[in-house]
Amino acid sequence: MQPILNQPDLTMADIASLLLRGEMRLSYSALSAFKESPAKFVEYKMRQKVTTDAMIFGSMAHCLILEPEDFDNRYFTFDDTEKCQAIGGEKPRATKAYKEWKAETIAAAGDRIIVDPQDFLYAKAIADNVKDNRAAAKILRLCPLHEKPIEWEYKNFKFHGFIDGDGEEATFDLKICADASPRKFQRTIIDMDYHMQGAMYQYGNGRVKRHYMIAADKTGGVSVHLLHDKLIEKGMDEYDRLIGKFNECILSEAWGESYEYWSDRYDGIYVAEAPNWMF
Amino acid sequence: MSHLPATQSKRPLPVIDDLYADVEQAAKLNELNRLLNCPPKPEWVRVNKFAQNSKYIPIGIVEYLLTAIFIEYWVEVKETKLIANSVTVTVRVHVVNPITGKEMWQDGIGAAPLKTSQGAKATDFDNIIDSAVQTGAPAAESYAIKDACEKWGRIFGKDLNRKEENTMNYAGLESKLATAKAKDEELPEELKTVIAEADAENLVSIYKTNPEYHNIPLFMQLLGARQVELKAKKNAAHTQPA
């Protein structure tokens, strides 16, 4: 199936040109896509943005934790339990009355994102868990400014992002994840390059502060992690390396390349070696 | 008349670029800060069994570090006095900053109890041993010197007994971020000429072999512009009738 193009009039050469002239910005997500492969970056830039249920759930939990006062302006919980009971019968949702009521209710929601009441309850539970967790509560208190938009220039590109929480001496990023247990999440930090995201935001924010990550999962787990300065430094090294490779990709027009782009070998092949534990 | 409280216009804070206006100097000073904030060599650190196993660096090592890092230093004793049963000494340690050549100093305070005879209470001044002041005062001075030096950084023992959260070496990180800042430097004319005459195949190698210019946005912009130019020429050649 062909991807639906978000920017059908632009070629990758046009996008590269816009990026070099500073008329288009990069982000952590864009760099992460490029780290996967140049082709993934093209897909990220060109394909129409699709909002998945998981993304909606994550942003809803973010909103309930960071900007709860704004929740009703952005989300609408569609709960038809009472209506179904009122209509009665075996299949109340198949009735004309229900369909008319649903159409009216959805129209009344306007631009707000419609969410399932069950999802809302889960997200609310996560938000309560984070606020009740003493480590997370401390970081939320330290960083009173939430969802702070930032823009910056690094080397020859412009970047943008949002800092989930900013304070006088610390910043934090909130992640709704599959498993917030400390051991698992610290692997996730490395796997997902969250330390690079931390470095990018420290740089973009213009001041070095302690950077924390709050991880929360659906099972009620909440863990808070302080990213060591050495880890942030490694993140900065990775940021720098990726920008270099991105520039090389522009100049070599390697946008069609998949994983071969990152191979150390000239022919793009990877060598599968025996891990140390086998010896 | 308004009853609202008078408001003062806020004084804007300096931005990081203002603070780094003297980039060269700032970078060098950051190097000094990085050195001063390196953790001390594990062999230098001792444990005081009589003070809840707290860690410390002996005065001999501190004096060695003062000489090794600053070359020149001197200690000024500001005050000595007796507080309760302890002699206290306040000192000012002067050093010459190896980067700026300017003198800088830190104050420190140290105390040592006056020893009493075995079995006597610590506050029993009738039982103070003969050499109590003779040994107590220099010990207090040593503590004062170490207290002053700790303020310069971790290499002198700062943070030795603090919890892990406070031991992050953000000076190093700041230095790293500062050196990554885009530079306003000009590109050499020869390099501009090389780019202007480059083939499409050479653009990547020009980029790779000149890492010192990666922080200058113009460098990549010129390479990108040359790439567009070459492509346009190629397209024009293809569309031209034979």
Side-chain angles (χ1 to χ4, degrees):
Chain A
M1 196 179 84
Q2 285 293 310
I4 305 160
L5 296 185
N6 186 29
Q7 308 188 68
D9 300 333
L10 295 177
T11 62
M12 259 325 286
D14 296 329
I15 289 176
S17 192
L18 287 171
L19 287 167
L20 287 177
R21 291 204 303 270
E23 290 165 23
M24 191 182 265
R25 298 173 302 180
L26 286 172
S27 63
Y28 157 74
S29 309
L31 269 193
S32 295
F34 174 71
K35 191 177 178 181
E36 190 78 4
S37 73
K40 284 278 178 196
F41 176 81
V42 175
E43 195 182 304
Y44 175 83
K45 273 286 173 196
M46 307 283 261
R47 187 176 277 188
Q48 201 167 50
K49 304 282 183 293
V50 178
T51 312
T52 62
D53 289 345
M55 285 158 76
I56 292 175
F57 182 82
S59 68
M60 180 167 55
H62 260 74
C63 185
L64 283 167
I65 296 164
L66 305 175
E67 297 172 305
E69 66 287 349
D70 206 29
F71 184 82
D72 289 336
N73 297 327
R74 286 163 56 184
Y75 297 92
F76 179 80
T77 313
F78 180 75
D79 191 352
D80 63 358
T81 320
E82 282 182 18
K83 189 67 187 173
C84 287
Q85 282 172 351
I87 293 171
E90 271 189 30
K91 292 180 178 174
R93 290 189 181 92
T95 62
K96 190 182 170 194
Y98 176 87
K99 285 174 185 169
E100 282 173 358
W101 170 82
K102 187 180 176 183
E104 278 171 28
T105 311
I106 288 174
D111 292 336
R112 289 180 290 174
I113 298 167
I114 294 166
V115 292
D116 184 84
Q118 198 65 28
D119 284 346
F120 168 74
L121 288 177
Y122 264 121
K124 182 81 173 62
I126 287 176
D128 291 342
N129 287 336
V130 169
K131 288 175 187 173
D132 291 343
N133 180 284
R134 66 187 163 90
K138 175 189 163 183
I139 304 309
L140 288 169
R141 271 197 309 275
L142 272 176
C143 309
L145 188 59
H146 295 162
E147 302 279 16
K148 180 186 170 187
I150 50 166
E151 284 185 285
W152 72 97
E153 285 179 32
Y154 185 67
K155 302 229 159 152
N156 48 304
F157 295 110
K158 283 189 176 164
F159 285 85
H160 70 116
F162 286 89
I163 297 179
D164 283 343
D166 191 17
E168 195 54 40
E169 55 191 70
T171 55
F172 76 81
D173 208 8
L174 172 68
K175 299 289 181 195
I176 309 300
C177 58
D179 189 341
S181 64
R183 193 174 58 85
K184 289 262 178 66
F185 189 72
Q186 292 200 355
R187 287 178 71 166
T188 308
I189 290 174
I190 308 300
D191 287 347
M192 300 294 290
D193 284 312
Y194 289 153
H195 59 308
M196 183 182 80
Q197 187 182 23
M200 289 170 74
Y201 289 2
Q202 296 277 301
Y203 185 85
N205 206 19
R207 204 182 128 198
V208 175
K209 300 174 187 179
R210 286 201 303 276
H211 186 62
Y212 295 89
M213 300 209 68
I214 300 175
D217 63 31
K218 273 190 176 180
T219 64
V222 178
S223 62
V224 178
H225 309 260
L226 169 62
L227 268 57
H228 197 278
D229 64 297
K230 292 281 181 252
L231 185 60
I232 300 265
E233 276 193 53
K234 288 281 174 204
M236 198 64 203
D237 290 342
E238 183 63 358
Y239 182 29
D240 199 64
R241 185 183 77 92
L242 284 182
I243 292 299
K245 293 298 283 182
F246 192 80
N247 277 328
E248 286 175 26
C249 185
I250 289 177
L251 295 174
S252 58
E253 294 187 90
W255 299 115
E257 291 199 11
S258 179
Y259 299 117
E260 75 267 35
Y261 185 77
W262 293 107
S263 164
D264 291 332
R265 284 174 50 136
Y266 72 97
D267 55 6
I269 291 171
Y270 290 88
V271 177
E273 290 173 357
N276 285 339
W277 57 262
M278 281 189 171
F279 296 100
Chain B
M1 201 178 121
S2 168
H3 293 287
L4 289 171
T7 54
Q8 287 185 339
S9 59
K10 285 180 184 169
R11 190 168 151 255
L13 279 170
V15 295
I16 194 79
D17 287 335
D18 296 339
L19 299 178
Y20 279 108
D22 188 354
V23 177
E24 282 297 303
Q25 189 83 309
K28 281 181 189 167
L29 284 173
N30 242 321
E31 284 303 306
L32 176 63
N33 279 334
R34 285 186 84 152
L35 175 67
L36 290 172
N37 279 296
C38 285
K41 203 175 171 184
E43 297 95 283
W44 296 344
V45 181
R46 309 284 156 79
V47 175
N48 186 351
K49 286 186 286 185
F50 304 105
Q52 294 175 326
N53 287 330
S54 59
K55 295 173 186 167
Y56 71 98
I57 298 178
I59 184 68
I61 303 279
V62 170
E63 285 171 343
Y64 156 74
L65 287 170
L66 281 169
T67 315
I69 296 170
F70 299 110
I71 318 290
E72 209 178 330
Y73 83 93
W74 60 101
V75 178
E76 179 188 350
V77 177
K78 303 284 286 182
E79 188 182 39
T80 57
K81 64 179 175 184
L82 200 67
I83 299 178
N85 66 330
S86 293
V87 58
T88 65
V89 175
T90 308
V91 300
R92 178 166 288 180
V93 180
H94 299 258
V95 295
V96 176
N97 186 314
I99 307 294
T100 62
K102 287 180 186 167
E103 184 192 322
M104 54 184 199
W105 47 261
Q106 292 286 3
D107 288 340
I109 186 162
L114 295 178
K115 287 177 185 164
T116 52
S117 304
Q118 198 168 13
K121 285 182 180 175
T123 49
D124 185 354
F125 287 94
D126 291 335
N127 279 303
I128 287 175
I129 61 172
D130 293 345
S131 61
V133 177
Q134 192 184 358
T135 55
E141 187 195 14
S142 296
Y143 289 131
I145 293 169
K146 289 199 282 182
D147 182 53
C149 293
E150 275 178 14
K151 292 166 189 167
W152 272 306
R154 294 178 66 198
I155 201 159
F156 284 105
K158 181 186 178 183
D159 295 337
L160 264 186
N161 294 302
R162 281 191 192 161
K163 284 184 182 172
E164 191 60 27
E165 185 175 311
N166 295 326
T167 60
M168 301 266 177
N169 183 4
Y170 279 95
L173 190 53
E174 272 172 13
S175 165
K176 201 171 190 78
L177 297 190
T179 50
K181 285 258 175 205
K183 292 176 187 167
D184 293 329
E185 285 171 23
E186 274 288 308
L187 282 178
E189 287 304 316
E190 311 89 79
L191 186 58
K192 286 182 187 171
T193 313
V194 168
I195 295 171
E197 293 169 0
D199 295 333
E201 297 76 36
N202 296 336
L203 294 174
V204 178
S205 59
I206 293 173
Y207 179 79
K208 278 187 180 176
T209 51
N210 291 284
E212 67 273 32
Y213 301 118
H214 286 186
N215 280 7
I216 303 176
L218 180 65
F219 179 49
M220 189 56 203
Q221 283 160 6
L222 287 178
L223 286 165
R226 177 63 183 160
Q227 186 186 32
V228 171
E229 188 186 341
L230 286 166
K231 218 182 289 176
K233 272 185 192 170
K234 196 176 166 187
N235 288 342
H238 281 178
T239 52
Q240 260 177 12

